[in-house]
Amino acid sequence: MNSKITPARGKIIGALMNKIPITKEGFDKLKKDLEMLKNISIPENIRDIEVARSHGDLSENAEYTAAKERQSYLHGKLQELENNLASCNIIPLTGVKTDKVVFGCFVVIADTDGGDEIKYQLVGPLESDINQNKISVTSPIGRALIGKKIDAEITVKTPGGTRNFQIIDISVE
């Protein structure tokens, strides 16, 4: 096998490296958000603009100004979602082994100083949501966890200071 990196192979490798990892669930949510924007939010906004336009003088029409500002926001959001979907790399979670922390797995960690335990799922940056205990693999804690095994201790520099954790459990659910 020829392992030489030709310009064409270099472009392919570069494109793959720029892909953002995401779970199938996260990808489906982004698609749903895009469809809702296209099929509900933007058409509603178009109707709002038409109604505001029918009120007459546009120069002093606050409804019209607000609807146009919302239109700009919605079209920016549309472009952002389309770009995000185009740059995603869906990582299948089937067959994931739980002998070490990998993308998509659930990890229970304990604060070695306070003893508090918390369960996180490691996901891509587009689907991270601390309120749902989904943290990005690119976050400080996510980077520290990747590749570690149960009972491993990690030290993480956070905005609140350095924290120490121990991995209690790794699972796929």
Side-chain angles (χ1 to χ4, degrees):
M1 180 174 157
N2 184 359
S3 63
K4 182 179 176 186
I5 297 182
T6 63
R9 281 186 73 191
K11 286 180 183 177
I12 292 170
I13 292 169
L16 288 174
M17 292 182 72
N18 290 331
K19 292 288 190 175
I20 300 168
I22 194 166
T23 64
K24 176 78 169 105
E25 177 186 296
F27 186 80
D28 289 345
K29 183 184 179 313
L30 286 180
K31 278 182 24 181
K32 182 180 172 191
D33 291 348
L34 179 64
E35 290 306 311
M36 186 168 175
L37 194 64
K38 283 181 174 179
N39 298 324
I40 297 171
S41 300
I42 290 176
E44 282 177 358
N45 178 251
I46 291 169
R47 284 189 295 276
D48 291 345
I49 291 172
E50 290 171 0
V51 168
R53 205 179 259 153
S54 70
H55 292 142
D57 186 10
L58 300 181
S59 65
E60 295 182 17
N61 189 331
E63 286 178 45
Y64 178 78
T65 302
K68 289 299 280 183
E69 287 174 4
R70 177 124 176 95
Q71 179 184 42
S72 178
Y73 167 79
L74 291 172
H75 284 279
K77 189 70 175 168
L78 175 76
Q79 186 173 13
E80 177 186 346
L81 284 169
E82 288 175 338
N83 289 340
N84 286 345
L85 285 166
S87 65
C88 285
N89 180 24
I90 300 171
I91 307 294
L93 302 182
T94 54
V96 172
K97 296 181 180 175
T98 58
D99 59 331
K100 64 181 179 179
V101 179
V102 295
F103 179 87
C105 73
F106 292 84
V107 183
V108 177
I109 58 174
D111 187 327
T112 56
D113 299 325
D116 293 336
E117 289 186 11
I118 190 159
K119 183 177 185 178
Y120 289 119
Q121 181 182 20
L122 269 70
V123 296
L126 295 177
E127 60 187 321
S128 64
D129 182 348
I130 196 65
N131 294 325
Q132 294 182 8
N133 289 349
K134 292 182 176 188
I135 60 171
S136 173
V137 291
T138 60
S139 70
I141 293 176
R143 285 194 313 262
L145 288 170
I146 290 291
K148 303 294 190 298
K149 296 183 178 198
I150 292 176
D151 292 331
E153 292 190 13
I154 60 168
T155 301
V156 181
K157 290 182 182 179
T158 67
T162 301
R163 299 194 48 200
N164 299 303
F165 300 99
Q166 181 176 13
I167 299 174
I168 305 300
D169 189 37
I170 304 169
S171 64
V172 290
E173 283 189 41

